[in-house]
Coordinates of all heavy atoms in Angstrom, one line a residue:
Chain M
T67 N -241.7 -34.6 86.1 CA -240.6 -35.0 87.0 C -239.3 -35.1 86.3 O -238.2 -35.4 86.9 CB -240.9 -36.3 87.8 OG1 -240.8 -37.4 86.8 CG2 -242.2 -36.3 88.4
C211 N -247.2 -55.3 51.3 CA -248.0 -54.1 51.0 C -247.8 -53.7 49.6 O -246.7 -53.6 49.1 CB -247.5 -53.0 51.9 SG -248.5 -51.5 51.8
S243 N -242.9 -50.9 53.0 CA -241.9 -49.8 52.9 C -242.6 -48.5 53.1 O -243.7 -48.2 52.5 CB -241.3 -49.9 51.4 OG -240.6 -48.7 51.2
E452 N -221.1 -27.3 41.0 CA -221.2 -28.6 40.4 C -220.2 -29.6 40.9 O -220.5 -30.7 41.1 CB -221.0 -28.4 38.8 CG -222.2 -27.8 38.1 CD -221.8 -27.4 36.7 OE1 -220.7 -27.1 36.4 OE2 -222.7 -27.5 35.8

Side-chain angles (χ1 to χ4, degrees):
Chain M
T67 70
C211 185
S243 168
E452 286 171 326

